[in-house]
Amino acid sequence: MLKNRLSISSWSLHRCLGPLRWTVWDDAAKTQSVKIEDQPSELELTELPKAAAERGLSFLELCDFHFPSRDETYLTELRRAFDDANVKFHTLLVDYGDISSPDPVRRSSDIQYLKGWIDTAKAAGAASVRIVAGEQPANDKEAIMRSVQALQELERYAEGSGVAVVTENFRELTSAVSSWSQIVDGVGGDFSTIIDFGNLAAAEKEDGVRYGAPKAHSIHAKPDYENGVMNEERFIRMLSILDEMGCDAPVSIIFDRQGNMWEGIERIKQVMLQTT
């Protein structure tokens, strides 16, 4: 049942989880650096699993930029918070990295950086790490090949850790279903992907959901809005395609509008539950 697969991404609460720690590429230094964006700290990341459980959510996906620390003590505390709340840490979402970059220095550095997040995911008890496939143009065939090779390398690194490597139709390289599918299919095996409704072009929404459903690790259920009003019919249609395809992956409610975030999440949740 859908109500047993409900989740949120910490992005849906990005205005209340404290400072955002954005990783960026410093081209002069040829390494990663961090830029901090101030946000109110109304809820600690370690308090989120309990807050989610209280709202009937069984899974969570946490963004890398919400982690205030990656030291062993903190990650153990975070893991315990998930265990105590009986909520599954489904995905650690790493928003940084261009593993498709034509710059071998950048690409190699980013791959090593992402291996560090696989280690972090293992220590925190996450089931998987979402890796951005790349930021190069969607029609760049060489970039697609570089992305596939890097994802395969990251999969090999994660072997035996209990952490799966997944990707998503997120950022430029996977902005078209054609390039997204070439990457996911190119990695091979049981490689899976997150489907983000909001990142699919209008003309490709249904085809994209149909392609991704059999390979879905999770769904980022982000409604479309027109003049500030949710297009419930289109949103429910996307969810119904998942049902038609027999997809039973966790479904993360994505809210990024103005207003109270928990109230916004609840509004989307109620629309979703109409489909069951």
Side-chain angles (χ1 to χ4, degrees), residues 18 27 34 122 157 198 215 261:
D27 197 49
V34 176
K122 178 182 179 181
Y157 180 81
K215 306 169 183 294
M261 287 169 283

Side-chain angles (χ1 to χ4, degrees), residues 170-185:
F170 179 50
R171 302 277 170 83
E172 181 64 22
L173 191 59
T174 53
S175 59
V177 174
S178 59
S179 57
W180 176 33
S181 60
Q182 285 181 66
I183 291 168
V184 174
D185 295 345

Side-chain angles (χ1 to χ4, degrees), residues 230-257:
M230 185 193 309
N231 188 325
E232 294 186 15
E233 181 179 358
R234 185 180 301 157
F235 187 52
I236 291 171
R237 176 59 183 154
M238 296 300 102
L239 294 169
S240 69
I241 293 172
L242 295 172
D243 287 341
E244 291 168 13
M245 301 291 293
C247 178
D248 60 359
V251 181
S252 281
I253 301 164
I254 305 296
F255 175 76
D256 66 352
R257 314 289 292 179

Side-chain angles (χ1 to χ4, degrees), residues 1-18:
M1 295 178 65
L2 178 58
K3 69 177 183 180
N4 297 325
R5 297 187 281 122
L6 291 177
S7 171
I8 56 170
S9 161
S10 62
W11 174 250
S12 294
L13 296 163
H14 68 280
R15 297 196 307 274
C16 71
L17 288 172

Side-chain angles (χ1 to χ4, degrees), residues 24-33 96 103 105-106 109-110:
V24 296
W25 178 250
D26 184 334
D27 197 49
K30 299 296 181 183
T31 190
Q32 298 79 22
S33 63
Y96 168 82
D103 177 354
V105 174
R106 165 85 189 265
S109 182
D110 280 358

Side-chain angles (χ1 to χ4, degrees), residues 58 104 131 138 148 152 225 234-235 246:
S58 302
I131 304 295
V148 167
Q152 290 172 333
Y225 292 83
R234 185 180 301 157
F235 187 52

Side-chain angles (χ1 to χ4, degrees), residues 11 14 20-24 33-37 64-65 95-96 113 171:
W11 174 250
H14 68 280
L20 307 180
R21 298 164 177 83
W22 300 105
T23 302
V24 296
S33 63
V34 176
K35 292 185 177 180
I36 297 178
E37 178 184 350
D64 67 308
F65 48 78
D95 268 28
Y96 168 82
Y113 172 86
R171 302 277 170 83

